[in-house]
Amino acid sequence: QVQLQESGPGLVKPSETLSLTCSVSGGSINSYYWSWIRQPPGKGLEWIGYVFPTGSTNYNPSLKSRVTISVDTSKNQFSLKLTSATAADTALYYCARDLSGSGWDIWGQGTLVTVSS
Amino acid sequence: QSALTQPASVFGSPGQSITISCTGTSSDFGSFNLVSWYQQYPGKAPKVIIYEGSKRPSGLSNRFSGSRSGNTASLTISALQTEDEADYYCCSYAGSYVFGTGTKVTVL
């Protein structure tokens, strides 16, 4: 069965770039959209954006100016970069398989990223 | 784009039915019924329980049902069980995804 695993630094300094990678195992990254979703501690969910294996992307309008999501099909991975990080970006970051508008059926376990000096 | 509005908390007794509302604007929901619902236990990733408005993933209990009327989507949990105590989030797609504010369900 398909499994997702997030990886990346757990601590990022303010104004620096937050970078995470999601590794897809048990299946091919092709033919599906792949999303990043975050959840600040004790708060609700926020969709960040998705990427298709062709490299086509769609981002949350509120984050669009700072977000880049890319895909590496040779490694079966996709990645998130969020520039100019602030304390407000402190959150549990999830990667998930996107059913093209119909939500997400497979999620990673999440990785906590704290933005602090 | 603001979050969809859900009640912060809903309470119910075992065996009862509860309904969680999810209200937005016409631009939040669009023409298609691309509303999904997620159940989240503390410390766990969300799990889809309803997609495309009213469809249940394979193997999911039929105690969970979804519907929509105008700019309000609803999740109904029938025959409430203690294991249903969790946070629930709605989500709509109309060119981009927007989540609801989340509802904590407590089984008394």
Side-chain angles (χ1 to χ4, degrees):
Chain A
Q1 69 280 21
V2 175
Q3 293 185 314
L4 307 181
Q5 179 66 57
E6 305 90 350
S7 60
L11 181 63
V12 175
K13 288 183 167 53
S15 80
E16 295 190 344
T17 297
L18 183 159
S19 298
L20 295 173
T21 295
C22 181
S23 299
V24 180
S25 60
S28 172
I29 200 169
N30 292 315
S31 305
Y32 283 97
Y33 289 82
W34 302 91
S35 272
W36 286 98
I37 296 155
R38 70 181 182 178
Q39 185 171 34
K43 297 188 178 180
L45 299 163
E46 179 179 37
W47 173 69
I48 299 170
Y50 64 59
V51 64
F52 194 66
T54 58
S56 174
T57 55
N58 187 15
Y59 301 135
N60 184 324
S62 67
L63 297 170
K64 188 173 184 176
S65 64
R66 299 195 293 131
V67 171
T68 301
I69 299 176
S70 58
V71 62
D72 186 337
T73 55
S74 67
K75 294 182 178 179
N76 237 31
Q77 295 177 336
F78 63 104
S79 299
L80 167 70
K81 289 190 186 301
L82 182 65
T83 61
S84 305
T86 70
D89 295 314
T90 293
L92 192 56
Y93 284 77
Y94 293 102
C95 59
R97 189 170 77 173
D98 190 312
L99 300 178
S100 186
S102 297
W104 307 273
D105 63 339
I106 301 173
W107 296 64
Q109 64 185 23
T111 188
L112 178 64
V113 179
T114 301
V115 180
S116 174
S117 55
Chain B
Q1 192 175 29
S2 299
L4 305 174
T5 301
Q6 297 180 231
S9 56
V10 171
F11 301 87
S13 299
Q16 284 186 330
S17 291
I18 61 169
T19 297
I20 301 169
S21 61
C22 170
T23 302
T25 66
S26 56
S27 59
D28 290 326
F29 290 105
S31 303
F32 302 99
N33 196 8
L34 294 177
V35 175
S36 49
W37 288 88
Y38 300 85
Q39 176 190 62
Q40 186 180 33
Y41 293 113
K44 299 293 186 182
K47 170 188 170 184
V48 62
I49 55 175
I50 295 289
Y51 67 100
E52 293 178 6
S54 59
K55 297 179 180 179
R56 280 187 305 274
S58 175
L60 193 82
S61 170
N62 60 7
R63 297 187 300 106
F64 295 93
S65 61
S67 63
R68 177 185 160 192
S69 177
N71 295 329
T72 298
S74 298
L75 172 71
T76 298
I77 308 175
S78 58
L80 200 61
Q81 300 179 0
T82 54
E83 67 203 49
D84 299 330
E85 188 161 294
D87 293 327
Y88 293 82
Y89 293 91
C90 63
C91 183
S92 178
Y93 183 84
S96 63
Y97 286 104
V98 59
F99 279 101
T101 49
T103 299
K104 181 175 181 59
V105 170
T106 301
V107 182
L108 302 171

